[in-house]
Amino acid sequence: MRAGQTVLTLGTGGVSIFAVQLAKAVGATMISTTSSAEKADWLKELGVEHIVNYRDIPSWGRYIKDDITGGTGVDCVVEVGGPATINQSLDAVRWGGEVVLVGFLSSNNPEIDYFHLNSNGAVVRSVAVGDRPMLEDLVRAWTASGVKPVIDSVFPFARAREAFEHLMTGSHVGKIVITLSD
């Protein structure tokens, strides 16, 4: 992510919120999807310029490309939905843009159209864990930005099951933390 780029994040989970914060810190324009007016308010507070309710706009990828970016598409999609959202992400990205596969939250597994994947000229890459120098660069940038992580809730280890149940509801914004002490 770089200053001046347009970045799309999906939802308000920990990875997406972190990506919003990082992209804003470097000067990117943000577009995010959500299904909740309450979560949209959170995204606005974080500085997201464009918020798309994917329940109201089922073809949100085309909407983002055609209506929000004027037919250009986004430079980068932080793809956390997986099989259920990849086609929409491909619709939203610009020619030569990047779709970064970070996770897969969906259980829905539609087939991916090879021609759709190939015809938009986007780079699709998977991200898992970087190396130590990359982490050190990230920590320096994060520290210099002064941005604080968004913590939805904190659970002691004894209530870890409850923390995972809360995660599964999808009602959280940001990270859910489990501590080793009460």
Side-chain angles (χ1 to χ4, degrees), residues 43-173:
L43 293 166
K44 287 176 192 170
E45 283 186 38
L46 292 173
V48 175
E49 288 86 354
H50 304 279
I51 300 165
V52 177
N53 185 316
Y54 60 83
R55 288 199 176 133
D56 293 342
I57 305 173
S59 296
W60 51 265
R62 292 290 340 154
Y63 174 79
I64 290 168
K65 187 171 198 169
D66 295 341
D67 295 5
I68 294 179
T69 68
T72 303
V74 299
D75 296 296
C76 178
V77 180
V78 180
E79 171 56 67
V80 297
T85 56
I86 186 66
N87 287 317
Q88 294 288 339
S89 293
L90 290 169
D91 284 345
V93 71
R94 71 170 173 80
W95 180 264
E98 182 176 34
V99 178
V100 182
L101 308 175
V102 180
F104 54 97
L105 298 174
S106 63
S107 59
N108 184 10
N109 192 11
E111 292 192 22
I112 297 173
D113 180 350
Y114 175 78
F115 295 105
H116 188 208
L117 180 66
N118 191 41
S119 67
N120 69 0
V123 173
V124 178
R125 68 180 177 98
S126 183
V127 173
V129 178
D131 58 20
R132 183 181 176 123
M134 290 171 70
L135 177 60
E136 290 170 348
D137 288 345
L138 175 63
V139 169
R140 274 193 297 279
W142 189 264
T143 302
S145 75
V147 175
K148 301 291 181 212
V150 175
I151 306 296
D152 177 86
S153 49
V154 179
F155 293 85
F157 186 76
R159 292 177 43 214
R161 176 182 291 266
E162 187 180 338
F164 283 103
E165 289 169 354
H166 180 56
L167 174 69
M168 295 308 293
T169 69
S171 65
H172 63 288
V173 175

Side-chain angles (χ1 to χ4, degrees), residues 151 153-160 163 176-182:
I151 306 296
S153 49
V154 179
F155 293 85
F157 186 76
R159 292 177 43 214
I176 299 169
V177 176
I178 299 173
T179 61
L180 294 177
S181 60
D182 293 336

